[in-house]
Amino acid sequence: LRLGLAALLTGAIGAERELRERSAGLRTYMVVGVGSALFTLVSAYAWSDFIQTGDLRIDPTRIAAQIVTGVGFLGAGAILRQGLSVRGLTTAAGLWAAAAIGMAAAAGFWVAAVATTAIVMLALAPLRMLEGHLVRFGGDLGTLEVHLTHDGTIGPVIDLLAPLGVTIQSIEFEPTEEGRWVRVEVELPSKGEAAKLLGQVAELPAVEGAKWSG
C-alpha cells in the first residue's frame, strides 16, 4: 500500500512534467518515488531478523538519510548549462521533492505526502502561469539575436544596453561561417521599446544584423 501510494503521488507529478516534455517525466519521477519509499521501508523493517539479542539496536534513519544525498546527485544530472543560462533546475528540484514524497508515504506519513504532492503540482502548473503574467506585467521579456562580424565583440552591445536600463538574463554564442550569432535574453524596462533598441543595436559597427523575438 505504501509503495503504491508513493508511485501514485510521484507519478502524478511526473505526468505533469511529461506533458510539458521535460527531460524527466512520468517514469523517472515514479521510479525515484518508489525507490525512495523502498529504501525507507528497508531501513525501518528489513533488519529485524538479524537481531540476535535484545541489546542490539538499529537506527531506522541511517539508510533513509542517504536518499537525500543520492537524489542530489541524480538531480545534478538533469541540470544543463548552455552558455550563461542554466536549465533543468525545476526538474532537479522536482526529483528531490519526489524522493521526499516517497519517503513520507513509506513512513506512513500519508497526510504530508498528499499535501506535498498538491503543493508541488500547484507550483509546477498554476504558479507557472502566474509567473508568466508577472513577467509580462513588468518589463518586456524577449531575446535579442545579434549577428557579429568576424572581428566583432559583444562588448559594444553590452555597453549600449546598460544605460538603457535593460536587464540581461543570459548570453549564448553560436559561431557560424559568416561570423557569430549572439543570443541575449533581456528584459526591457517598459513595453514598446524593442523596435527602438533593435535599431540602435543594428547601427553598431561590429553588428551585421539583429532581430528581436518576444
Side-chain angles (χ1 to χ4, degrees):
L1 178 61
R2 297 183 182 191
L3 289 173
L5 180 62
L8 179 64
L9 295 178
T10 55
I13 300 175
E16 192 277 339
R17 298 280 85 190
E18 191 80 35
L19 292 175
R20 297 190 181 278
E21 298 182 353
R22 294 301 187 262
S23 56
L26 173 62
R27 295 181 299 170
T28 303
Y29 275 80
M30 185 178 293
V31 170
V32 169
V34 173
S36 299
L38 180 58
F39 272 121
T40 304
L41 292 174
V42 168
S43 182
Y45 303 113
W47 312 113
S48 58
D49 294 340
F50 295 93
I51 300 178
Q52 302 296 330
T53 65
D55 297 333
L56 181 62
R57 296 183 180 181
I58 59 174
D59 183 3
T61 65
R62 300 190 70 177
I63 295 180
Q66 306 306 313
I67 298 174
V68 180
T69 305
V71 174
F73 281 104
L74 182 63
I79 300 176
L80 301 176
R81 181 172 180 176
Q82 299 177 351
L84 296 181
S85 63
V86 179
R87 305 179 185 275
L89 290 174
T90 303
T91 299
L95 292 173
W96 187 59
I101 293 170
M103 293 177 66
F109 202 6
W110 298 345
V111 175
V114 173
T116 302
T117 302
I119 294 173
V120 171
M121 293 289 290
L122 178 67
L124 292 177
L127 289 185
R128 177 186 176 87
M129 294 184 291
L130 177 61
E131 184 181 33
H133 287 299
L134 291 176
V135 171
R136 288 192 294 270
F137 180 76
D140 193 1
L141 189 65
T143 301
L144 176 65
E145 297 188 31
V146 182
H147 188 197
L148 299 175
T149 59
H150 284 285
D151 56 348
T153 64
I154 192 62
V157 178
I158 303 300
D159 294 338
L160 175 64
L161 298 179
L164 300 178
V166 178
T167 302
I168 299 176
Q169 305 289 346
S170 65
I171 302 177
E172 298 180 7
F173 293 89
E174 181 181 345
T176 62
E177 295 180 356
E178 295 80 14
R180 288 187 300 170
W181 277 98
V182 182
R183 295 182 178 87
V184 186
E185 293 186 3
V186 300
E187 181 180 354
L188 304 183
S190 59
K191 304 288 186 180
E193 295 187 1
K196 179 180 177 181
L197 174 64
L198 194 62
Q200 293 178 347
V201 171
E203 292 177 356
L204 295 174
V207 176
E208 292 190 350
K211 62 181 179 179
W212 171 267
S213 58

